[in-house]
Amino acid sequence: MATHVENPESSEIEIDKTFRDLGVVDVLCEACEQLGWKQPTKIQIETIPVALQGRDIIGLAETGSGKTGAFALPILQGLLENPQRLYALVLTPTRELAFQISEQFEALGSSIGVKSAVIVGGIDMMSQALTLAKKPHVIIATPGRLIDHLENTKGFNLKALKYLVMDEADRILNMDFETEMDKILKVISRDRRTFLFSATMTKKVQKLERAALKDPVKCAVSSKYQTVEKLQQFYIFIPSKFKDCYLVYVLNELAGNSFMIFCSTCNNTQRVALLLRNLGFTAISLHGQMSQSRSTLSLVSASGHRKW
Ligand code: AMP
């Protein structure tokens, strides 16, 4: 059974440390600088030195804490020392997260020629099989589609894998990917390092930890689930029939900013986007029933402020 060793530095984190102080090599420190990362975040300060020592890690960190950098930098440094194709696998619950993680790997690893591949549902299996045949260094995947490839794509296996990351493990398990996770753990290399990141430590996450990690170090920057420190949150208590009206009022009051509006159903995202477009706002919807190409197009349109 895995035992927890608390990171001895965790109680007194020095916040003015540099990436170099953590043991990150020059070429990756420069990559951080180019991304505008002046100093490591708390979870990076806790995780990176321990990861560079070759330990398994449980990272309890909130979204937006810089946890992607916390696992990507040690993996890239390992890759620099021992170059190998199909070196690391990052499992994540959603397609959007997979693309965001891949962007960070590409940005941090651009000067060292790292190739990453995103393997998620909603995209043609055949073209993904061709990408996998080129043997990228890092694969970022959602569990279901990865299993499809492990079972059906000839010549593809992860027996030589050196790093496994389970990102947002609580969400992976809440989405009923438990069986997929078990299958993946059975067919990948046992001789690997494993990082498990989760916002909450549920019973299911603990079970996964026991199945996948060896003598892990626990790195926690928040003991309970919480939102980013500087986030301002407001709550308006109104009859639901006036919700649209208040929404439009708030958008007009804050005109000139970009907004993200979360809705409870796919239908509702489309209804709200239509309503706003009819009122002259540039609005697009994004939901799970769209194909990946349409979702990506929506995001590109949104970031380019193109009229839909
Ligand atoms: P994550 O929690 O990994 O999703 O990261 C949230 C955001 O923080 C991303 O946009 C990162 O590019 C950014 N980020 C990560 N590490 C740092 C850092 N050390 N300094 C400034 N920004 C960072």
Side-chain angles (χ1 to χ4, degrees):
M1 202 176 96
T3 51
H4 277 168
V5 181
E6 298 278 345
N7 183 357
E9 286 183 33
S10 62
S11 51
E12 30 185 287
I13 298 169
E14 291 172 46
I15 40 172
D16 56 354
K17 282 198 170 174
T18 64
F19 283 105
R20 213 162 261 111
D21 296 335
L22 306 183
V24 177
V25 292
D26 286 352
V27 62
L28 292 174
C29 290
E30 280 157 27
C32 293
E33 251 166 60
Q34 274 170 12
L35 284 181
W37 297 5
K38 295 194 176 73
Q39 281 186 324
T41 63
K42 282 186 199 162
I43 188 72
Q44 291 164 357
I45 292 175
E46 276 218 47
T47 312
I48 293 173
V50 189
L52 290 177
Q53 284 167 20
R55 298 290 301 269
D56 281 6
I57 285 172
I58 300 173
L60 287 177
E62 62 199 74
T63 303
S65 59
K67 61 187 165 63
T68 313
F71 61 73
L73 285 166
I75 289 176
L76 291 170
Q77 189 145 322
L79 197 49
L80 266 172
E81 283 160 14
N82 296 302
Q84 181 200 302
R85 297 276 167 171
L86 301 176
Y87 186 74
L89 167 67
V90 182
L91 292 170
T92 191
T94 68
R95 302 169 188 183
E96 281 72 23
L97 272 171
F99 283 105
Q100 283 170 25
I101 293 169
S102 156
E103 273 170 25
Q104 289 202 43
F105 266 102
E106 296 276 336
L108 289 168
S110 62
S111 61
I112 57 172
V114 169
K115 296 273 170 281
S116 70
V118 175
I119 301 296
V120 293
I123 291 179
D124 172 47
M125 280 281 286
M126 208 42 217
S127 61
Q128 285 181 344
L130 292 173
T131 308
L132 291 174
K134 289 185 194 150
K135 297 195 180 347
H137 300 103
V138 182
I139 296 175
I140 300 113
T142 46
R145 180 53 68 95
L146 185 79
I147 285 287
D148 269 1
H149 282 287
L150 284 167
E151 289 176 347
N152 303 312
T153 299
K154 280 211 175 81
F156 170 60
N157 69 69
L158 293 171
K159 289 184 180 137
L161 196 75
K162 293 290 179 290
Y163 279 92
L164 169 68
V165 181
M166 294 176 279
D167 184 43
E168 308 223 354
D170 47 357
R171 285 182 66 198
I172 293 183
L173 297 172
N174 282 343
M175 288 168 79
D176 283 337
F177 278 134
E178 228 172 325
T179 321
E180 282 83 352
M181 292 303 294
D182 288 345
K183 279 190 188 171
I184 292 169
L185 288 173
K186 280 199 184 110
V187 297
I188 62 174
S189 157
R190 281 172 185 272
D191 183 21
R192 57 154 209 271
R193 299 275 63 85
T194 308
F195 302 154
L196 185 156
F197 281 83
S198 190
T200 53
M201 204 52 184
T202 60
K203 284 228 165 70
K204 282 184 184 175
V205 175
Q206 281 170 345
K207 197 173 146 208
L208 180 63
E209 175 206 318
R210 287 195 293 274
L213 279 76
K214 285 185 206 142
D215 194 18
V217 178
K218 190 173 177 188
C219 301
V221 292
S222 61
S223 51
K224 61 178 172 40
Y225 187 72
Q226 60 188 50
T227 47
V228 183
E229 243 170 67
K230 287 184 188 151
L231 187 71
Q232 292 185 44
Q233 300 185 66
F234 300 94
Y235 176 77
I236 309 178
F237 187 64
I238 38 160
S240 65
K241 62 181 175 182
F242 299 137
K243 269 201 319 198
D244 291 340
C245 184
Y246 274 81
L247 173 68
V248 173
Y249 175 80
V250 170
L251 296 182
N252 271 324
E253 281 298 295
L254 299 171
N257 293 295
S258 300
F259 304 92
M260 231 189 277
I261 301 165
F262 292 93
C263 304
S264 54
T265 61
C266 301
N267 260 347
N268 214 21
T269 63
Q270 282 186 324
R271 190 191 61 79
V272 173
L274 273 174
L275 168 91
L276 294 177
R277 287 213 289 277
N278 275 324
L279 291 171
F281 292 94
T282 314
I284 49 106
S285 65
L286 189 63
H287 57 74
Q289 308 248 307
M290 293 163 86
S291 69
Q292 188 57 44
S293 50
R294 277 208 62 190
S295 302
T296 310
L297 188 65
S298 284
L299 284 174
V300 171
S301 315
S303 59
H305 299 289
R306 227 179 61 188
K307 276 265 179 208
W308 183 249

